[in-house]
Amino acid sequence: MPCTTILVGKKASFDGSTIVARNEDSSNGEFCPKRFVSVDPAGKTSYTSVISHLTVPLPQGGVRYTAMPNADLKEGLWEEAGFNARNVGMSATETLTTNERVLAADPLVRYDAATGTPGGIGEEDMVTLVLPYATSARDGVLRLGALLERYGTYEMNGIAFSDVDEIWWLETVGGHHWIARRVPDDCYVTMPNQLGIDSFDLDDAYGEKREHLCSPDLREWVAANHLDLSLDGQLNPRDAFGSHSDSDHVYNTPRAWAIQRFLSPTAGPWDRALPAEDFGPECDRLAWYRRPERKVTIEDVKYALSLCYQGTPYDPYGHDPAGRPGRYRPIGINRNSQLAVLQLRPYEPEATRALQWVSLGSNAYNALVPLYANVGRTPAYLEDTTARVTSENFYWANRIIGALADGARTGCVPHVERYQEALPAATFALVRACDERVREDAVAGDDVCGELEAANDAIADECRRQTEALLDHVLYEASMGMGNAFCRSDG
């Protein structure tokens, strides 16, 4: 799916957390209702995908995990993002682009309807197959890598794994190959829908494996197919395995530019560079990772993943006569399905360490709320999303708000901005209160899970209250702007 990802190392974040964040966006002309659930894999011995018709046996020892599956299962689960009970996070996937040489050297593995031959694994499947069984971020990479080597994949993807110490980013290469890099602790990573890793140490990947991992035959495969385009022998995966199309310059690269412009404002002449120059929105050399100029907060991540090129000529809501609105694909787009921000807080006990921050619908008009991940059930307001339009759950209420507010933007933006500040503040205050109760041993043992579930329920109640109030304001403003309005009262 078209998505945008930010990864923040523990020394770059405001509180020492590892942070993995990703917008899940639906394809053009489509919208995908999402749910927040807790899943117990106990007793499951196999998994069969809808898209590729592939059946994969499941190992024993899977643990409970949170996920963001589709409400409509016609194309499968698409569980997307969550934490398992071991405090390992996974976000899957960022759809990537590649080139013809890679696809010729290792073709994608697609379902053949004529013969009934199954395809490989893809975004639909990866969280389900990996997250319940991962014991660390590194272990998640290795488990997914083994599955890719055995079954192949029908699409190019980037996948993030996190634990309290590390973040790893895996990119698929062709049908069966993969590479992975550890995110530097003091840096952030920006990932639009194109292959991102721009340097790779094969010696480390084949040696100590401290910061680089890959499929076992990658070096030989690259050499045999003449994929390394470097002049100095230092493999640049973006050059070797990525795409180099004109469409990248309007759909992908500008999103990385917008985020880096926000998080590292003095790193370069972002606004003075011509589009294709260094630090321009169409530059092919934007760094995969960069050091921020101050520590990155949760609200920074939400703002970055809501960007519509504010303050630039490319703002679709801009009124600059010399502007170029609509030239580049926004990050905060109408078809954002869900945003998951996976935060692991090293200073909290393991039971309360994992927070899965959630927002639903278009990020320009929604708010981000924290939910405990180490739970056996989730609140109905976030879990019971239907395929039918209704205002009775968090997803659809936000979708309706976004569609109405966009058409009456001048009157609605003040209400939306107040909501975007008030709801995260109120819900995180509930988290802080629950944290304190658990830390002080006022809650112990098996009662901790129940306490976290009760806190999530209180957070959901606050979400409903504030979201319904915003919907009321937005509906009023949109109604007052209808074209058949008339200023004389009828009595």
Side-chain angles (χ1 to χ4, degrees):
M1 285 190 179
C3 310
T4 311
T5 295
I6 299 176
L7 313 174
V8 184
K10 60 187 179 183
K11 293 182 180 178
S13 74
F14 72 109
D15 66 345
S17 295
T18 55
I19 299 174
V20 167
R22 171 177 156 264
N23 287 344
E24 179 193 355
D25 306 334
S26 54
S27 300
N28 187 36
E30 299 178 5
F31 297 88
C32 186
K34 302 296 296 188
R35 308 166 57 222
F36 175 63
V37 303
S38 177
V39 182
D40 184 353
K44 296 179 181 179
T45 58
S46 67
Y47 166 85
T48 301
S49 67
V50 172
I51 292 176
S52 61
H53 301 264
L54 174 69
T55 297
V56 178
L58 298 176
Q60 297 298 307
V63 297
R64 185 181 64 204
Y65 63 101
T66 53
M68 297 293 302
N70 289 356
D72 185 341
L73 299 181
K74 64 183 179 182
E75 293 185 339
L77 286 170
W78 297 73
E79 291 191 314
E80 298 299 325
F83 283 111
N84 69 22
R86 301 185 181 106
N87 286 333
V88 177
M90 180 177 178
S91 176
T93 69
E94 185 81 27
T95 305
L96 305 181
T97 51
T98 187
N99 62 64
E100 300 88 338
R101 291 173 297 107
V102 169
L103 296 178
D106 184 9
L108 298 174
V109 184
R110 293 193 170 98
Y111 169 64
D112 187 334
T115 63
T117 304
I121 62 174
E123 182 172 352
E124 174 198 345
D125 321 304
M126 289 181 179
V127 167
T128 311
L129 292 173
V130 176
L131 184 56
Y133 312 100
T135 58
S136 67
R138 181 186 291 261
D139 181 65
V141 169
L142 295 173
R143 173 166 174 78
L144 178 56
L147 290 168
L148 291 166
E149 292 158 23
R150 178 174 180 180
Y151 298 105
T153 183
Y154 55 84
E155 59 188 359
M156 293 277 290
N157 280 311
I159 301 96
F161 296 91
S162 64
D163 56 38
V164 73
D165 293 315
E166 298 185 331
I167 301 173
W168 282 82
W169 178 253
L170 181 150
E171 295 182 336
T172 63
V173 182
H176 300 84
H177 292 85
W178 58 275
I179 59 174
R181 275 202 66 173
R182 185 182 186 275
V183 175
D185 291 338
D186 60 347
C187 294
Y188 67 90
V189 164
T190 56
M191 281 297 309
N193 293 115
Q194 59 188 141
L195 196 137
I197 297 176
D198 54 7
S199 65
F200 195 81
D201 186 344
L202 283 168
D203 290 337
D204 182 45
Y206 279 86
E208 295 184 9
K209 299 177 171 57
R210 291 174 301 176
E211 297 183 351
H212 302 78
L213 297 167
C214 66
S215 43
D217 65 338
L218 185 80
R219 175 177 269 158
E220 295 78 11
W221 175 73
V222 167
N225 292 281
H226 311 287
L227 296 176
D228 185 356
L229 303 183
S230 67
L231 297 175
D232 60 3
Q234 300 299 310
L235 178 65
N236 182 330
R238 190 185 299 176
D239 288 342
F241 311 135
S243 60
H244 310 282
S245 66
D246 294 337
S247 61
D248 283 329
H249 295 150
V250 297
Y251 196 83
N252 292 324
T253 315
R255 285 182 275 155
W257 172 82
I259 297 171
Q260 293 185 25
R261 175 181 177 272
F262 168 57
L263 293 177
S264 303
T266 68
W270 304 105
D271 296 316
R272 298 194 305 275
L274 294 174
E277 292 180 338
D278 286 349
F279 301 102
E282 298 178 20
C283 176
D284 291 325
R285 297 174 298 279
L286 291 175
W288 179 62
Y289 67 81
R290 193 179 291 278
R291 290 177 179 83
E293 295 180 15
R294 60 169 175 78
K295 292 186 176 181
V296 179
T297 66
I298 298 294
E299 53 267 33
D300 289 333
V301 171
K302 172 61 169 71
Y303 182 80
L305 290 176
S306 305
L307 282 168
C308 296
Y309 304 108
Q310 298 94 309
T312 79
Y314 316 113
D315 183 352
Y317 300 110
H319 302 290
D320 182 354
R324 288 175 284 179
R327 179 182 177 92
Y328 301 133
R329 188 264 210 209
I331 300 171
I333 201 168
N334 62 328
R335 46 192 167 84
N336 297 137
S337 299
Q338 59 95 13
L339 163 60
V341 181
L342 306 178
Q343 180 189 11
L344 281 166
R345 305 176 296 165
Y347 46 85
E348 295 294 344
E350 289 195 8
T352 57
R353 182 166 288 172
L355 288 181
Q356 183 159 347
W357 295 74
V358 173
S359 65
L360 300 170
S362 178
N363 285 350
Y365 300 102
N366 64 21
L368 190 65
V369 296
L371 293 153
Y372 286 105
N374 192 11
V375 292
R377 64 169 181 83
T378 52
Y381 189 55
L382 288 95
E383 180 177 352
D384 293 346
T385 306
T386 62
R388 176 181 58 85
V389 180
T390 173
S391 63
E392 291 300 308
N393 59 65
F394 198 39
Y395 172 83
W396 282 112
N398 278 282
R399 271 283 308 281
I400 295 168
I401 285 168
L404 290 172
D406 196 76
R409 186 171 168 83
T410 300
C412 291
V413 161
H415 300 295
V416 171
E417 289 177 342
R418 285 192 288 270
Y419 170 79
Q420 290 175 329
E421 181 179 81
L423 183 56
T427 52
F428 190 56
L430 294 171
V431 167
R432 288 172 60 87
C434 183
D435 286 344
E436 186 173 351
R437 289 194 296 274
V438 173
R439 278 198 306 267
E440 292 178 351
D441 293 325
V443 183
D446 294 338
D447 293 334
V448 172
C449 183
E451 185 73 18
L452 303 189
E453 290 169 352
N456 282 353
D457 288 340
I459 290 165
D461 289 344
E462 186 65 19
C463 285
R464 180 188 288 272
R465 185 186 71 79
Q466 291 202 31
T467 303
E468 289 181 350
L470 177 61
L471 178 57
D472 183 59
H473 288 303
V474 167
L475 179 59
Y476 174 82
E477 296 290 348
S479 298
M480 291 299 293
M482 292 173 64
N484 60 353
F486 194 76
C487 61
R488 178 178 176 179
S489 296
D490 298 318

